[in-house]
Amino acid sequence: MLVDGDTGSTSDWDDRWNHIKKFLERSGPFMHPDFEPSTESLQFMLETCKILVIGAGGLGCELLKNLALSGFRNIHVVDMDTIDVSNLNRQFLFRAKDVGRPKADVAADFINSRVPGCCVIPYFKKIQDLDETFYRQFHIIVCGLDSIVARRWMNGMLLSLLVYEDGVLDPSSIIPLIDGGTEGFKGNARVIFPGMTACIDCTLELYPPQINFPMCTIASMPRLPEHCIEYVRILLWPKEMPFGDDVSLDGDDPEHIQWVYQKSLERAAEFSITGVTYRLTQGVVKRIIPAVASTNAAIAAACATEVFKIASSAYLPLNNYMVFNDVDGLYTYTFEAERKENCSACSQVPSDLHFSPSSKLQEVLDYLTESTSIQMKSPAITTTMDGKNKTLYLQSVASIEQRTRPNLAKTLKELGLADGQELAVADVTTPQTVLFKLCFTS
């Protein structure tokens, strides 16, 4: 790796890849039983293999560094965020002068300037802004995200790229997904072969629910410093509009955070609550997940190792979920997450929805959002009646939401729905429509 001031060459020097050759050009006790040592695997990694890294934050920076130094030269990175001062303590590809710039751009520039021959191409976009053609070009995709919604969307995209011939999955259409996640001193890494192994939606129950505080507690009986901050964020800001009528609370604006912090201190003093700090205020407002650099490094190392194993075919990949915990000592284990036969994302058959004909559409909507195995955010429900598409409820477009809102109070029978009827549900958690089948109960 180059150091500051070096003028790197894009050509390889003698023995540059010796550490990689030891894994690929000789046999060993942990080799894949079908692997034959040769020089071709290294050449594939150096010249052909195309990797997509999603996220250029704490995990993403570590992943880019690990992949570039492992011989992967054709790397693309997608990230929609810009660099904040709070990122600098652990996202080591960034410097103070980079604050305000897109993370993807700065990370790509840094790696390209420090690792000779490596070409990282950045995309300062949301993953939803890129289409199937874009994702189809990659051999492996690695996620370093802090959003479950984004993970599920990426999972759905890769499932939508699968090709089935007479019901049989075409292996050449599979793009492996390596997913890593961290929270404080805990983390996980997993390997997903879409259509073959458990997908993200198969194991939604493993993800912790987002913490939400009851409104009555926030407004009347605060007990925690977080309650005080949420009171200011949810109730006081819209009421006082301290920076103008049309100014929304911006978690990245120091003046906004300072105002929320001061008002939260006043609220805390009123109820004799301690613990309100500027950092906690920023964390609550921005819904920041606690991050520890060493945890990011460990999980990114595990993910990069899995990319190497899959790209080279030299070793069996992780099967298929690893848990890491160093809260009290170091504890890690692996297990095989199994596919759900009725997974709404990857099962290829509509999932059953069991409701009575007298159930209201609102109950169906609540189930789609509250069920631990579905966890949709703002589902839009349509169906087919008499050969025509009918929108039962759509939240994202105000005019249609107003027109379809009365349907929520109607029963499924009043809406003309029948036993066995299919409902098509669209949601931000997936790029493809999810099919459900109504199963009426007596």
Side-chain angles (χ1 to χ4, degrees), residues 114-145:
R114 294 287 289 270
V115 184
C118 189
C119 178
V120 180
I121 300 175
Y123 302 86
F124 177 41
K125 294 183 176 183
K126 296 180 180 179
I127 56 174
Q128 294 87 347
D129 294 337
L130 299 160
D131 60 16
E132 291 184 2
T133 304
F134 173 80
Y135 291 109
R136 204 185 297 275
Q137 66 182 302
F138 298 101
H139 293 95
I140 301 172
I141 294 178
V142 198
C143 283
L145 294 163

Side-chain angles (χ1 to χ4, degrees), residues 62-83:
E62 293 279 356
L63 281 167
L64 288 169
K65 176 259 295 178
N66 290 347
L67 293 171
L69 295 178
S70 297
F72 296 98
R73 289 171 154 171
N74 195 347
I75 305 172
H76 297 233
V77 58
V78 180
D79 195 294
M80 60 175 285
D81 287 339
T82 56
I83 299 166

